[in-house]
Amino acid sequence: MANTNFSTLFHNFTSNRHNKSFFTNLYFITFSISLCSLFYFLGLWHHSTTTTTTISATGYTVSSATNIICSQPNDAITSPTPSTQSSPSTKLDFESHHFVPDPPPTAARVPHIPPCDSSFSEYTPCEDTQRSLKFPRDKLIYRERHCPSSEEILRCRIPAPNGYQSPLRWPASRDAAWYANVPHKELTVEKKNQNWVQFEGDRFRFPGGGTMFPRGASAYIDDIGNLINLRDGLVRTAIDTGCGVASWGAYLLSRDILTVSFAPRDTHEAQVQFALERGVPALIGVIASIRLPYPSRAFDMAHCSRCLIPWGQYDGVYLTEVDRVLRPGGYWILSGPPINYQRHWKGWERSRESLKDEQDGIENVAKSLCWKKLVQKEDLAIWQKPTNHIHCKLQQKIFKNRPFCEAQDPDTAWYTKLDTCLTPLPEVIGIKEIGGGGLANWPERLTSIPPRIGSGSLNGITPEMFKEDTELWKKRAAYYKTLDPQLAERGRYRNLLDMNSYLGGFAAALVDDPVWVMNVVPVEAEINTLGAIYERGLIGTYQNWCEAMSTYPRTYDFIHGASVFSLYQNRCNMEDILLEMDRILRPQGSVILRDDVDVLVKVKSIADAMQWDTRISDHEEGPYQREKILVAVKEYWTAPPPEQIQQSKS
């Protein structure tokens, strides 16, 4: 009866068109939807599972129904709280169709690479002083690179000293550094009267003094500039042997002259580390039994200010190595013993005769290299390398005092033994031609075709490829600055490292920023391009990334690498390379790596274990490229305070 009445009512309601209205239809539709919804929610309530959400004591958000752990910035992962469920008589199985099971708790945890003991805060693996004592002291061989075996490699993260701070920004950093970053006062005592470094309050100050420039590095450079032209851009790259705290190189930067400074690990405590804290290019190194890690014809100027290298001994082998790395027409500058010994011999506590013999030995070696002595004025002496070897070859035929090297690649310089033979310059036709090709003055040199490329000596690299590479890296550097705000912030970074530089395009793209870039050409690279990088007026070094770099921890503010891990994929442990990167990167420094996506996924997993903040971004040309870009930031952390370390040991 009820159904009949409802049907009659519905029929009258829908058939009577004259009485139909908009509001009546709306009420009917609303009534129908409400009725359906009521029955749906009644059924849902009957079969529902109660979900609880809790916050763990360590800050991890845990959703028990779905078993998801939402990570917060903490060090431990808590287990999810068991869910509370109702017990309906009939239970529908949605789990197997809608949820992916969680991995076991051990697999879900991110591995953690532990920190090293605080005593390793200045660990330099290949220049470790304890290991070096096992090697001969003759010719300073014990101060060369001696890297640990694979079994000796530390697989932990090197801590920064307690109280470490981000270095002062350039140019303020040239003149000051935080004491907590380099806690060594030895030089402030040993070189107190020479103004190398002074200690004041919580920082060191660098007045710019040196053993042979008591009036300061700037005045000393002015003296050099009065003897050779340092203003026209022809002198752009320089090398400073036995650099001290690198004040010479620091003050040349304002004159657009880029200097590689080096000194041994233990001659004076932390001298190279001071240089790097100042934001000045430097490496740990020594001229001993192997070549310097630079190509031939790299530097426009070489310098030694009382660097204590026995230039005239061992058949002039050390000065012969300087000749190899000097460009045609380059200068060698010497100050200190034995120059001007007639005035200083008493202060140097040496006899006139021994100093005269030393100077005669240097003069003889320089002549055998066909160098011309340009000038000796007061405490400075300057020699110049010839622009070609036409006259030199004639001279050697007559005097036969130094043969030319044969069947040697002059650019090979990774554990390559020194030789006393003279590295020949590339052949020329006319006497005025420059061996290997002339270089443009700076800054035109940066974008001019490097002579090594123009002559075709770098197989497979054409001038057109060089130009395309230069433009490509301008776009890439601009894109990087959108990915890493710290790189975009002018002055945030100072010391940069490019792990696989190719033609130096990345460094060239940043030339107007207040940074310097150490361009590395891996010894495993298919083409040795480091010579072309120097011909652009940039600096760099060779490196095998299966070994540690010759530098202190926390050297670089930013590290860049293009296809580094693809290059070393089957050569050594990826974790070891990343730990070396972590060692030489400053706290809160950044890393940008570009590589195949599969390679970067593996890299990211290790970087996460080192507690870097990482993300993988698309290629600058879009998401469809297999090559991706990993951006990472090293977290700030330091060794605990000394009193806490002492308590833990007691």
Side-chain angles (χ1 to χ4, degrees):
M1 183 67 181
N3 291 337
T4 304
N5 291 337
F6 183 83
S7 301
T8 304
L9 178 64
F10 179 77
H11 176 74
N12 292 335
F13 181 83
T14 56
S15 63
N16 189 355
R17 296 183 179 179
H18 298 289
N19 295 329
K20 182 180 179 182
S21 69
F22 170 77
F23 291 104
T24 304
N25 285 336
L26 181 62
Y27 293 149
F28 175 73
I29 292 170
T30 304
F31 173 76
S32 301
I33 292 174
S34 301
L35 193 62
C36 292
S37 299
L38 176 63
F39 285 111
Y40 173 78
F41 284 111
L42 283 173
L44 184 64
W45 172 80
H46 184 68
H47 295 288
S48 66
T49 299
T50 302
T51 301
T52 60
T53 302
T54 61
I55 306 295
S56 71
T58 58
Y60 287 82
T61 303
V62 181
S63 177
S64 59
T66 58
N67 224 22
I68 295 175
I69 299 175
C70 301
S71 175
Q72 302 294 325
N74 296 286
D75 292 330
I77 298 179
T78 57
S79 302
T81 304
S83 60
T84 303
Q85 297 182 347
S86 61
S87 302
S89 57
T90 303
K91 182 177 180 180
L92 299 179
D93 179 17
F94 288 98
E95 297 271 338
S96 61
H97 302 288
H98 295 279
F99 294 112
V100 177
D102 284 340
T106 54
R109 293 177 184 269
V110 175
H112 175 69
I113 298 177
C116 302
D117 186 84
S118 59
S119 62
F120 288 97
S121 66
E122 294 182 359
Y123 183 56
T124 54
C126 296
E127 281 82 15
D128 181 63
T129 52
Q130 294 302 314
R131 184 182 298 105
S132 69
L133 296 176
K134 303 175 185 178
F135 295 89
R137 290 180 173 263
D138 182 48
K139 296 184 179 180
L140 300 180
I141 290 174
Y142 76 106
R143 286 183 176 169
E144 291 180 326
R145 284 176 58 87
H146 301 293
C147 297
S149 64
S150 58
E151 295 78 16
E152 297 175 295
I153 292 175
L154 289 180
R155 290 184 171 86
C156 53
R157 296 175 292 133
I158 301 296
N162 186 260
Y164 178 88
Q165 300 183 59
S166 295
L168 300 169
R169 295 197 175 189
W170 184 266
S173 66
R174 186 192 70 175
D175 302 321
W178 300 114
Y179 168 75
N181 293 8
V182 195
H184 298 286
K185 297 182 182 179
E186 292 85 349
L187 279 178
T188 65
V189 177
E190 185 177 346
K191 300 293 181 180
K192 181 178 180 179
N193 298 326
Q194 298 172 20
N195 281 329
W196 279 30
V197 56
Q198 300 169 352
F199 177 65
E200 297 178 5
D202 60 353
R203 67 188 67 189
F204 293 107
R205 296 201 177 275
F206 303 93
T211 307
M212 294 307 301
F213 32 96
R215 295 181 295 119
S218 186
Y220 176 78
I221 293 169
D222 287 339
D223 291 340
I224 296 173
N226 291 330
L227 303 177
I228 58 174
N229 193 340
L230 300 179
R231 298 180 300 275
D232 63 358
L234 188 59
V235 175
R236 163 63 180 172
T237 57
I239 184 169
D240 190 12
T241 56
C243 63
V245 295
S247 289
W248 189 71
Y251 281 82
L252 279 172
L253 286 167
S254 62
R255 306 173 192 237
D256 274 339
I257 297 175
L258 196 54
T259 305
V260 175
S261 300
F262 73 87
R265 170 74 169 82
D266 60 345
T267 298
H268 300 299
E269 189 68 43
Q271 56 185 338
V272 169
Q273 193 174 16
F274 276 130
L276 295 165
E277 281 296 311
R278 299 175 70 183
V280 179
L283 288 165
I284 300 172
V286 63
I287 303 182
S289 68
I290 59 175
R291 285 180 173 179
L292 297 172
Y294 316 114
S296 65
R297 314 194 313 273
F299 299 100
D300 303 314
M301 179 168 60
H303 174 256
C304 164
S305 175
R306 201 169 186 177
C307 59
L308 305 180
I309 297 174
W311 297 113
Q313 297 181 24
Y314 308 113
D315 199 17
V317 66
Y318 301 138
L319 211 50
T320 304
E321 175 63 1
V322 172
D323 177 84
R324 183 185 70 86
V325 299
L326 267 184
R327 70 160 172 83
Y331 303 101
W332 184 57
I333 301 168
L334 177 64
S335 65
I339 303 303
N340 202 11
Y341 68 86
Q342 297 89 343
R343 177 182 175 185
H344 297 295
W345 65 276
K346 288 184 179 179
W348 292 338
E349 298 181 350
R350 291 179 58 184
S351 67
R352 283 175 174 266
E353 292 73 18
S354 67
L355 288 165
K356 182 180 183 303
D357 289 343
E358 183 178 345
Q359 178 146 358
D360 289 344
I362 291 173
E363 301 280 7
N364 290 333
V365 173
K367 288 179 182 178
S368 72
L369 297 172
C370 302
W371 290 4
K372 175 184 178 182
K373 189 171 186 179
L374 289 182
V375 63
Q376 178 171 326
K377 184 177 180 181
E378 297 180 348
D379 296 340
L380 284 167
I382 301 177
W383 286 262
Q384 186 174 26
K385 179 178 176 176
T387 56
N388 60 63
H389 276 159
I390 290 180
H391 284 163
C392 190
K393 288 182 178 179
L394 294 173
Q395 176 182 316
Q396 299 296 12
K397 286 181 179 180
I398 298 172
F399 296 103
K400 303 185 184 300
N401 55 354
R402 189 172 299 276
F404 283 93
C405 300
E406 297 180 0
Q408 274 195 352
D409 183 352
D411 289 348
T412 300
W414 188 251
Y415 296 121
T416 305
K417 289 295 182 181
L418 290 179
D419 205 332
T420 56
C421 59
L422 178 58
T423 301
L425 290 172
E427 295 289 341
V428 296
I429 299 174
I431 192 65
K432 295 184 178 181
E433 190 177 345
I434 298 174
L439 298 176
N441 291 7
W442 182 264
E444 291 77 13
R445 189 182 298 187
L446 182 68
T447 52
S448 299
I449 304 298
R452 280 173 166 86
I453 294 178
S455 66
S457 60
L458 294 184
N459 292 332
I461 301 179
T462 64
E464 292 72 23
M465 293 170 63
F466 170 78
K467 293 177 182 178
E468 291 172 1
D469 185 77
T470 300
E471 294 303 314
L472 174 65
W473 279 104
K474 288 180 182 178
K475 296 177 182 177
R476 287 180 170 178
Y479 182 61
Y480 286 167
K481 290 181 178 181
T482 68
L483 299 177
D484 182 4
Q486 295 190 114
L487 183 62
E489 182 184 346
R490 187 175 178 85
R492 171 64 180 84
Y493 294 142
R494 175 63 184 169
N495 304 359
L496 275 61
L497 173 69
D498 192 1
M499 297 176 69
N500 189 14
S501 298
Y502 188 47
L503 297 176
F506 173 70
L510 299 177
V511 71
D512 292 326
D513 292 355
V515 302
W516 60 269
V517 180
M518 184 63 72
N519 293 282
V520 170
V521 171
V523 294
E524 295 81 8
E526 184 178 349
I527 304 175
N528 182 355
T529 54
L530 191 56
I533 289 173
Y534 272 96
E535 288 176 341
R536 301 188 71 174
L538 304 172
I539 59 172
T541 185
Y542 295 115
Q543 177 65 35
N544 176 353
W545 287 115
C546 293
E547 299 179 2
M549 195 174 183
S550 291
T551 193
Y552 283 86
R554 301 170 298 281
T555 289
Y556 294 100
D557 307 304
F558 178 92
I559 299 177
H560 173 257
S563 302
V564 173
F565 289 93
S566 288
L567 179 63
Y568 283 93
Q569 199 164 21
N570 299 315
R571 289 185 165 97
C572 53
N573 193 329
M574 183 182 291
E575 179 181 307
D576 292 341
I577 299 176
L578 281 161
L579 280 171
E580 173 62 6
M581 293 169 63
D582 184 81
R583 184 185 74 87
I584 64 179
L585 182 66
R586 295 189 190 278
Q588 297 180 312
S590 293
V591 173
I592 289 183
L593 300 172
R594 58 188 309 125
D595 217 314
D596 183 84
V597 62
D598 291 340
V599 174
L600 286 187
V601 168
K602 296 177 183 177
V603 170
K604 186 179 186 304
S605 67
I606 301 172
D608 290 340
M610 296 192 304
Q611 298 188 335
W612 288 3
D613 181 14
T614 64
R615 73 182 190 276
I616 294 179
S617 300
D618 285 330
H619 190 277
E620 61 269 6
E621 294 182 3
Y624 300 110
Q625 302 290 326
R626 276 200 62 84
E627 186 176 70
K628 302 296 180 183
I629 299 171
L630 182 141
V631 182
V633 177
K634 178 181 176 179
E635 70 172 13
Y636 175 86
W637 68 282
T638 70
E643 57 271 16
Q644 183 176 332
I645 298 173
Q646 188 63 33
Q647 289 175 3
S648 64
K649 291 181 179 179
S650 59

